[in-house]
Amino acid sequence: QVQLIESGGGLVQAGGSLRLSCAASGRTFTNYALGWFRQPPGKEREFVGVINWNRGDMELENSVKGRFTISRDKNKNTVYLQMNNLKPEDTAVYYCAADRAGWGGRRDTAYDLWGQGTQVTVSS
């Protein structure tokens, strides 16, 4: 069974950058939609962005547009969340998620596989 393995979180100052990775263990991401979500302290989980693995088209939440981007490396079977110009309000646990049906979307209930989460802390 495929598992999602996340890495790349950490502590960064405001204005800095981090890149999160999400790798598949057990099979490829072919035909999947890969989403990124985050859960800030004391808040509900929220949508960050999604990429269709086959087509490569991407959708981002408005608050991260122009700062974050999602990409994929088919050779490494890994999806990335590049985060630039980070702000303290980006502090959260970040999760990658997979929709094996390939649709994705903004609702977390559309995803049936989840990574373990990685902490991103942005200091002011």
Side-chain angles (χ1 to χ4, degrees):
Q1 182 176 349
V2 63
Q3 292 183 320
L4 306 183
I5 303 170
E6 297 180 48
S7 60
L11 173 64
V12 64
Q13 288 187 333
S17 297
L18 282 174
R19 187 178 75 164
L20 306 184
S21 300
C22 178
S25 173
R27 62 149 289 169
T28 69
F29 282 141
T30 302
N31 299 325
Y32 284 25
L34 286 309
W36 287 96
F37 290 79
R38 66 186 181 185
Q39 187 164 17
K43 297 183 179 180
E44 294 186 352
R45 189 162 55 191
E46 61 188 30
F47 172 78
V48 175
V50 60
I51 187 168
N52 180 281
W53 183 262
N54 291 358
R55 298 190 305 269
D57 51 307
M58 173 182 60
E59 179 185 356
L60 291 169
E61 197 274 332
N62 285 339
S63 67
V64 305
K65 283 182 180 177
R67 300 189 298 121
F68 292 11
T69 189
I70 302 174
S71 62
R72 77 219 193 282
D73 185 329
K74 290 189 173 183
N75 291 327
K76 295 183 178 180
N77 206 39
T78 299
V79 64
Y80 302 98
L81 178 66
Q82 177 68 44
M83 305 183 292
N84 299 326
N85 191 21
L86 281 160
K87 303 176 181 181
E89 51 264 42
D90 295 318
T91 294
V93 177
Y94 283 72
Y95 298 89
C96 69
D99 172 13
R100 288 177 285 188
W103 296 104
R106 293 173 172 263
R107 295 184 302 172
D108 58 3
T109 53
Y111 298 82
D112 50 0
L113 292 173
W114 289 83
Q116 79 278 13
T118 186
Q119 177 70 46
V120 171
T121 302
V122 184
S123 63
S124 58

